[in-house]
Amino acid sequence: MYYKSTRNSNVNVTSAQAIAQGISKDGGLFVPSEIPSISFDDIKALGEMSYAQRAAFIFTKYLTDFDGAEISYCVDNAYSTKNFDTENIAEIVHLFDGTYMLELWHGPTCAFKDMALQILPYLLTVSTKKINLDKKVVILVATSGDTGKAALEGFKDVPGTQILVFYPEDGVSAMQKKQMTTQEGENVGVCAIKGNFDDAQNGVKKIFTSEEVAEKLSENGYMFSSANSINWGRLAPQIIYYVSSYARLVAENKISMGDKINIVVPTGNFGNILAAYYAKKMGIPVNKLICASNANNVLTEFLTTGIYNRNREFHTTISPSMDILISSNLERLLYHLCGEDDMQIREWFTKLSVEGRYEVTDSVKAILKEEFYAGCCNDEETKTCINEIFTKYSYICDTHTAVAVKVYEDYVKNTGDNTTTIIASTASPYKFSNSVLDALGKSDPDADEFRLVEELAEVTKLPVPSSLAELKNKEIRFKGSIEKSDMKDFVLETLGIK
Ligand SMILES: *Cc1c(COP(=O)(O)O)cnc(C)c1O
């Protein structure tokens, strides 16, 4: 197995190279040359294993240049109760008839990004060693909130790495901001920018692909890599929990082997739902992949019409991790769907950057329609959904997960489909206490983020994750904000090579 670039099919690198490099030199994303398959026998065997063992099984298929000891080292360090508050790592909770919440937020930062970012530093340091790079790895992250903190926690004090995180000054929750500005570790830097998430992401991409910067880094013994979901080392770990949850539903007799399931994903950068697509292509029986968006519904339009149009108003919503107008990982999906036609991909993505719009071919439209259902909802509908789900089932969703639940309810109404369904629950409600309390009719405009957590605990009786409670007493280490045009200088200054 090797990895190609979505913008040049002749690129041919190992998984270690793809992970160490993050993004291809041509600006394309690395994709596996083929999608490995798993059989029903495999799924049955996986049902008896621990999460770390399931992870090792999947990685063995994708990271064919890693040996068994290297894979064990990575999965054992990442997926244990040292980092997660449940032995299952990903928890499955029954919500109502044949509908399950796949809770992906039991890691150290209480959001699903931990599922991949707890393991990425290990995948990355093993990868750089494998390809004999003796350079210090510099991780640049653009975040709409959750990725940044999860990456900081994953990389903090990992030898041979340095991590710098950029976030939109007004685009993250108070709790997310606190999580990042109090980050501990000797090798970390955190910086707010005056702009939105796309500005941060574009800024990082520019620095990342600048030859001038690359040269400067190289001269000083550094190299860039990426912890954003464009890195294959972020995406591969996300496939695991979809395979794992199917194996568990079979093992626990909730479904029979071969039964199809729907998977609903609250979507932003298209990484999480793309992982579900890979799980399906590997052999997990999936009926529909349901893509849920908030008011930034560029994907809803795209998946229903085949027209991607980022020329629209950007909305700041109560589900900020989904406030995205350019969903980077879509490029990987389209590469697979258009028959790996790299020229076609270059044409579409040039159009996207020049005109802000492209339209896919009829054959790609037909596959999108077959594989996906897409829907969106606004903040009011999201809040109503949180309230109703709590009232009916005593289950409390965060604002992102609630978007998925609402879109799923609409899907059932529109289609009558009663297939067993897994809804990705992507954050602890405590990360967004303000909006969740507001949805429950208990808003308290005077309370700070910690008081809000306490109030939410009083209403829901759900235990408060210790990592959030402890933030209260931590010192703010990173203050102020910069213009987006100053991001490059910030990087060079932090590394001491300006
Ligand atoms: C990142 C994130 C999402 C969106 O996931 P993508 O992989 O970017 O589509 C949804 N919910 C939460 C809580 C997130 O942190």
Side-chain angles (χ1 to χ4, degrees):
M1 159 102 53
Y2 57 95
Y3 289 78
K4 310 188 206 180
S5 161
T6 51
R7 301 200 189 175
N8 181 358
S9 294
N10 294 324
V11 167
N12 184 336
V13 302
T14 62
S15 75
Q17 275 172 298
I19 292 169
Q21 217 174 306
I23 189 169
S24 181
K25 287 194 183 74
D26 46 53
L29 310 190
F30 290 115
V31 287
S33 55
E34 63 195 285
I35 299 174
S37 58
I38 49 176
S39 66
F40 286 171
D41 283 346
D42 291 334
I43 295 172
K44 188 152 185 287
L46 289 170
E48 307 299 315
M49 295 180 191
S50 70
Y51 190 88
Q53 288 168 326
R54 290 179 199 137
F57 180 87
I58 306 289
F59 282 136
T60 304
K61 301 208 169 262
Y62 282 102
L63 314 180
T64 49
D65 49 329
F66 281 51
D67 66 28
E70 288 165 335
I71 287 178
S72 295
Y73 164 75
C74 294
V75 300
D76 292 344
N77 272 302
Y79 299 130
S80 79
T81 49
K82 224 174 43 213
N83 309 321
F84 288 83
D85 68 11
T86 163
E87 220 162 285
N88 289 322
I89 308 299
E91 209 51 85
I92 302 175
V93 177
H94 185 239
L95 190 63
F96 53 83
D97 313 329
T99 302
Y100 297 86
M101 304 306 290
L102 174 58
E103 293 183 348
L104 302 171
W105 41 263
H106 289 276
T109 74
C110 310
F112 97 94
K113 306 287 194 298
D114 289 330
M115 301 301 297
L117 281 162
Q118 280 298 303
I119 196 162
L120 182 68
Y122 297 102
L123 295 174
L124 195 53
T125 41
V126 170
S127 293
T128 48
K129 208 184 269 169
K130 284 183 84 64
I131 58 176
N132 296 318
L133 277 174
D134 52 4
K135 290 200 158 58
K136 189 164 179 182
V137 174
V138 179
I139 301 293
L140 293 188
V141 181
T143 186
S144 51
D146 290 328
T147 309
K149 178 62 182 177
L152 288 162
E153 275 300 312
F155 280 93
K156 80 166 175 212
D157 294 330
V158 172
T161 69
Q162 175 93 33
I163 176 164
L164 297 173
V165 172
F166 296 94
Y167 69 93
E169 189 174 25
D170 299 317
V172 303
S173 77
M175 186 60 88
Q176 288 175 321
K177 200 174 231 174
K178 198 86 171 198
Q179 280 186 309
M180 289 191 281
T181 54
T182 58
Q183 179 63 43
E184 292 163 352
E186 290 305 307
N187 62 340
V188 305
V190 175
C191 181
I193 67 150
K194 300 185 204 309
N196 62 33
F197 170 72
D198 286 325
D199 294 326
Q201 177 156 268
N202 286 333
V204 162
K205 265 200 171 174
K206 247 188 225 147
I207 300 170
F208 210 90
T209 47
S210 155
E211 279 184 24
E212 176 215 328
V213 177
E215 228 164 79
K216 221 172 203 155
L217 253 70
S218 183
E219 284 166 12
N220 290 280
Y222 290 106
M223 67 174 274
F224 275 139
S225 192
S226 150
N228 270 56
S229 63
I230 50 176
N231 192 315
W232 180 251
R234 273 285 301 282
L235 205 62
Q238 298 184 348
I239 301 169
I240 295 157
Y241 45 77
Y242 293 114
V243 175
S244 168
S245 52
Y246 188 88
R248 268 184 69 193
L249 288 178
V250 173
E252 292 167 17
N253 294 314
K254 304 287 191 343
I255 54 173
S256 303
M257 185 68 80
D259 285 356
K260 288 194 170 175
I261 57 167
N262 296 319
I263 298 177
V264 191
V265 185
T267 297
N269 218 7
F270 210 77
N272 202 3
I273 194 166
L274 181 68
Y277 172 82
Y278 279 117
K280 176 177 185 179
K281 292 296 137 184
M282 290 181 78
I284 296 301
V286 175
N287 175 41
K288 283 283 179 202
L289 296 165
I290 300 172
C291 176
S293 301
N294 63 22
N296 295 296
N297 57 3
V298 62
L299 285 169
T300 314
E301 182 178 280
F302 175 70
L303 293 171
T304 43
T305 67
I307 298 171
Y308 197 100
N309 188 356
R310 65 151 302 180
N311 302 316
R312 57 180 69 222
E313 201 186 325
F314 178 84
H315 299 280
T316 300
T317 72
I318 58 171
S319 41
S321 298
M322 297 157 70
D323 290 348
I324 288 172
L325 292 182
I326 298 180
S327 300
S328 308
N329 267 299
L330 194 57
E331 182 167 339
R332 284 190 164 108
L333 177 73
L334 294 179
Y335 180 76
H336 293 301
L337 298 193
C338 73
E340 311 202 332
D341 183 346
D342 52 356
M343 218 165 85
Q344 179 70 82
I345 294 294
R346 285 201 303 274
E347 184 194 315
W348 287 338
F349 284 83
T350 305
K351 270 201 173 140
L352 180 65
S353 74
V354 178
E355 299 161 30
R357 183 184 187 280
Y358 63 89
E359 179 169 2
V360 295
T361 57
D362 287 345
S363 68
V364 170
K365 283 181 198 172
I367 311 174
L368 290 176
K369 209 160 224 144
E370 177 66 30
E371 301 270 0
F372 293 89
Y373 172 93
C376 58
C377 69
N378 62 28
D379 282 354
E380 277 318 304
E381 293 168 310
T382 306
K383 284 191 229 170
T384 304
C385 180
I386 291 174
N387 195 315
E388 281 178 5
I389 295 296
F390 184 61
T391 308
K392 276 197 218 162
Y393 310 110
S394 301
Y395 187 85
I396 189 79
C397 297
D398 95 290
T399 47
H400 303 76
T401 307
V403 169
V405 175
K406 168 69 172 115
V407 167
Y408 174 60
E409 287 174 346
D410 291 345
Y411 168 79
V412 172
K413 247 179 244 155
N414 291 340
T415 61
D417 181 15
N418 63 358
T419 304
T420 299
T421 294
I422 287 176
I423 301 176
S425 174
T426 51
S428 159
Y430 285 112
K431 261 194 120 156
F432 303 93
S433 299
N434 191 15
S435 304
V436 173
L437 273 171
D438 187 25
L440 298 176
K442 314 251 181 211
S443 67
D444 182 353
D446 299 324
D448 71 8
E449 55 271 35
F450 298 106
R451 179 63 203 135
L452 290 169
V453 165
E454 287 164 15
E455 287 177 12
L456 187 56
E458 284 158 22
V459 180
T460 64
K461 313 286 185 253
L462 191 75
V464 179
S466 56
S467 58
L468 292 184
E470 285 161 8
L471 283 179
K472 197 172 178 170
N473 304 319
K474 290 198 172 158
E475 171 207 353
I476 306 271
R477 294 183 65 200
F478 303 98
K479 299 182 183 122
S481 62
I482 65 167
E483 297 294 335
K484 59 189 179 191
S485 52
D486 293 336
M487 288 169 65
K488 185 179 96 180
D489 285 344
F490 178 85
V491 171
L492 297 179
E493 263 165 37
T494 307
L495 298 176
I497 59 175
K498 183 140 183 266

